[in-house]
């Protein structure tokens, strides 16, 4: 069975590459919001205190600090996080900023990188198991058998993406995946990011099919020339009539 065609009646040709979003597409929004995010929030302060001097944590803190400068300039924040290595000064302001970002479900590169680092021990110690919808593993298998390559493009950091699929409830799914993209490639709502992804994969944009739950991402990918299918999963934001007109949609991967 094919995806529900868009109401404007256009049909897509057979893609060579499947590019998938995670939250709202392979994995429920509630798993991300009710399991992963609270885990990172609970462990945040302890993680930062313990790993403050780790160079990779320090470079993530730099990214978060720079983001706070931009957010302050744009009037989203009253003041930026102070820069420098003085933990006693920086840590309280950093925590304040990160709690604010988490409260607002911001998809910034720095927050996402830090969440991935915190989830690492949770996944490796078996406290977290990646949830995927039950139609995902058979779809991965089917796509690979029919010669398609599967890639992920999520706001979650590449490190976090690999953890979710490696330590999934149904075992290691990374064997099916050819690569991963996160917001270090570019924002998911900009067409340029999808052009870069198509160049990095090495195939023309119109041979890639992107599946996402977020309409802004769908329009950006479409503008870049990708085929786009919108994911309708329980708990996703409803689509408008216009979005239903503009994109085919699926409620699971059985029809893709
Ligand atoms: C283990 S992946 C974490 C998912 C995440 O943090 C997130 O924000 C999901 O965003 P997406 O772009 O996949 O909708
Ligand atoms: Mg999503």
């Amino acid at each position: 069975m094919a995806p529900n065609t868009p109401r404007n009646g256009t049909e897509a040709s057979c893609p060579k590459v499947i590019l998938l979003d995670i939250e709202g597409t392979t994995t429920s929004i509630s798993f991300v919001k009710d399991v992963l995010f609270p885990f990172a929030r609970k462990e945040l302060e302890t993680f930062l205190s313990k790993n403050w001097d780790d160079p990779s944590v320090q470079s993530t803190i730099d990214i978060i600090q720079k983001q706070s400068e931009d957010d302050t300039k744009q009037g989203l924040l009253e003041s930026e996080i102070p820069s420098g290595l003085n933990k006693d000064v920086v840590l309280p302001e950093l925590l304040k900023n990160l709690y604010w970002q988490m409260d607002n479900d911001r998809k910034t590169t720095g927050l996402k990188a830090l969440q991935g680092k915190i989830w690492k021990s949770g996944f490796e110690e078996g406290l977290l198991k990646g949830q995927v919808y039950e139609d995902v593993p058979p779809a991965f298998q089917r796509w690979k058998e029919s010669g398609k390559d599967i890639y992920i493009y999520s706001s979650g950091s590449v490190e976090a993406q690999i953890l979710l699929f490696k330590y999934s409830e149904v075992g290691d799914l990374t064997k099916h995946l050819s690569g991963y993209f996160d917001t270090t490639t570019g924002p998911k709502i900009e067409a340029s990011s999808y052009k870069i992804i198509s160049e990095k994969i090495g195939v023309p944009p119109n041979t890639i099919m992107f599946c996402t739950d977020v309409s802004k991402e769908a329009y950006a990918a479409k503008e870049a020339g990708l085929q786009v299918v919108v994911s309708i999963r329980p708990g996703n934001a409803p689509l408008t009539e216009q979005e239903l007109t503009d994109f085919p949609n699926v409620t699971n991967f059985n029809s893709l």
Side-chain angles (χ1 to χ4, degrees), residues 21-25 188 212-214 217:
D21 164 71
I22 293 181
E23 185 185 12
T25 302
K188 291 182 79 186
T212 182
D213 59 317
V214 173
E217 297 172 8

Side-chain angles (χ1 to χ4, degrees), residues 118-163:
I118 299 172
W119 291 328
K120 188 170 192 287
S121 62
F123 279 109
E124 288 176 349
E125 289 165 21
L127 299 170
L128 293 170
K129 288 272 176 210
Q131 183 260 326
V132 293
Y133 286 110
E134 63 180 7
D135 50 279
V136 172
F140 281 10
Q141 182 97 30
R142 198 171 58 249
W143 290 332
K144 288 303 291 176
E145 279 168 8
S146 63
K148 299 183 199 308
D149 287 327
I150 311 165
Y151 289 80
I152 304 295
Y153 184 27
S154 169
S155 305
S157 66
V158 167
E159 181 177 26
Q161 297 172 26
I162 295 170
L163 289 166

Side-chain angles (χ1 to χ4, degrees), residues 75 102 133 136 170 247:
M102 290 191 265
Y133 286 110
V136 172
V170 290
F247 299 104

